[in-house]
Amino acid sequence: MRWWHLAAMARMEAAIFGPEAWSEGVLWSELAAGHDYRAVLDGDRIAGYAGTAFGDAEAWINNIAVDEAYRRRGIAAMLMDDLIARARAGGAKSVFLEVAVDNGPAQRLYDRYGFTGIGVRKNYYQHTGTDAAVMRMDL
């Protein structure tokens, strides 16, 4: 993922996450902070992307998104496989994430990878007041 992808990512964020979408500025801050972002490209078009923050013994999946036109083609799984492999290679012992409690498709993806719920963050998504399930997968 490079800085020149940020405008397209922000548009995808808005289409997928609505009022909870990260702005281009927030995405820029993610890259500037050294977080790892990966994209699946179809020519110049971003089919999907995911971002991860790595710590000493853990990784946090910050976001994962697949353009509606590219869903059900294995792109989310491709991104998850890459994130988990990079977490293992970096010495992480666990991977964490937060997901909206009403996002069933994402939760099913995470369940397939062995993530388990460890808690709930009330009103985590500020614009909608939606709770977030906190999930963890041990490597």
Side-chain angles (χ1 to χ4, degrees):
M1 180 67 66
R2 300 289 186 251
W3 65 268
W4 54 85
H5 295 120
L6 295 178
M9 284 176 62
R11 286 190 299 275
M12 188 186 296
E13 280 271 326
I16 295 170
F17 300 116
E20 300 296 345
W22 287 4
S23 68
E24 188 173 341
V26 170
L27 293 166
W28 183 266
S29 295
E30 286 287 297
L31 288 181
H35 296 172
D36 186 50
Y37 275 76
R38 300 294 173 153
V40 175
L41 300 175
D42 181 12
D44 290 337
R45 185 172 178 186
I46 298 174
Y49 64 89
T52 310
F54 294 102
D56 290 337
E58 63 187 39
W60 278 89
I61 296 176
N62 294 335
N63 51 16
I64 184 167
V66 177
D67 185 284
E68 187 174 1
Y70 291 91
R71 291 187 185 154
R72 310 219 43 89
R73 296 185 190 182
I75 291 173
M78 187 184 319
L79 290 164
M80 288 294 294
D81 290 344
D82 181 63
L83 294 175
I84 292 167
R86 293 180 58 70
R88 279 193 176 107
K93 303 298 181 207
S94 300
V95 180
F96 296 87
L97 59 86
E98 288 115 350
V99 59
V101 295
D102 60 359
N103 189 343
Q107 290 178 32
R108 286 189 293 278
L109 172 70
Y110 303 141
D111 287 344
R112 285 196 314 264
Y113 277 86
F115 282 85
T116 57
I118 60 171
V120 174
R121 297 190 198 278
K122 293 290 191 184
N123 300 311
Y124 180 77
Y125 297 98
Q126 297 171 358
H127 290 91
T128 61
T130 304
D131 296 343
V134 181
M135 303 183 83
R136 173 184 177 159
M137 180 184 78
D138 291 326
L139 300 176

